[in-house]
Amino acid sequence: MTADPADIRGWQRLSGEITTSGRLEEADVARLAALGVRQVVNLALDSHPEALAEEGVKLAAEGIAYTHIPVPFDAPQEAHYEAFRAALETGPTPVHVHCIMNWRVSAFFYRLNRDERGMPEHEARALMVQQWEPDASDKPEWAVWADFIASKAR
């Protein structure tokens, strides 16, 4: 089995079927294929200066399905979260989910683990804070993320 590529920004293995990270670089496409990844979900904007150009085309060349859900960092919406959930539910596995810093991704998985998968809050939070803790900062630009991860009444 190929070892996890710890040099990819923000790399995190959540399970045998799910890995996450920050931005991908050209060489990472083949590395994900070698790990057996069958789907990549990208939450970053194509317009970000660190985004991998033509990511979907490069992944397809390696036989990896690609789902792009561009989440503006200053405006995550419930529709983005629902599209993320749908991609995980309907797409092939193993799946790799990434953005630029693994901040969007870790916040999305925090909510999914806590609200949908029944993971105890402290365990879900422990996974997220390996990347960042948006509700433990007074940075104004993180306030939207603190709200995004707040428990929602169902």
Side-chain angles (χ1 to χ4, degrees), residues 12 102-110 127-128 131-132:
Q12 190 171 15
N102 201 354
W103 292 358
R104 293 170 180 92
V105 174
S106 62
F108 276 52
F109 271 108
Y110 171 66
L127 291 173
M128 179 180 66
Q131 304 303 326
W132 75 321

Side-chain angles (χ1 to χ4, degrees), residues 1-5 8 11-21 24 27-42 55-56 58-67 87-88 91-98 109:
M1 181 175 192
T2 303
D4 282 350
I8 293 177
W11 179 267
Q12 190 171 15
R13 178 171 287 281
L14 300 182
S15 73
E17 297 292 308
I18 301 171
T19 55
T20 70
S21 74
L24 295 180
D28 298 331
V29 173
R31 295 164 78 190
L32 291 175
L35 283 172
V37 169
R38 296 187 52 224
Q39 175 186 202
V40 167
V41 177
N42 177 7
E55 182 173 327
K58 293 170 182 171
L59 289 162
E62 291 286 343
I64 300 173
Y66 180 67
T67 303
L88 293 181
T93 58
V95 61
H96 181 77
V97 186
H98 82 93
F109 271 108

Side-chain angles (χ1 to χ4, degrees), residues 39-109:
Q39 175 186 202
V40 167
V41 177
N42 177 7
L43 303 184
L45 302 180
D46 281 340
S47 60
H48 192 282
E50 293 186 60
L52 178 60
E54 298 190 25
E55 182 173 327
V57 171
K58 293 170 182 171
L59 289 162
E62 291 286 343
I64 300 173
Y66 180 67
T67 303
H68 188 209
I69 307 165
V71 180
F73 193 77
D74 62 349
Q77 303 295 317
E78 287 304 306
H80 299 128
Y81 178 73
E82 293 303 323
F84 160 79
R85 285 182 57 223
L88 293 181
E89 290 172 9
T90 62
T93 58
V95 61
H96 181 77
V97 186
H98 82 93
C99 54
I100 299 299
M101 298 297 294
N102 201 354
W103 292 358
R104 293 170 180 92
V105 174
S106 62
F108 276 52
F109 271 108

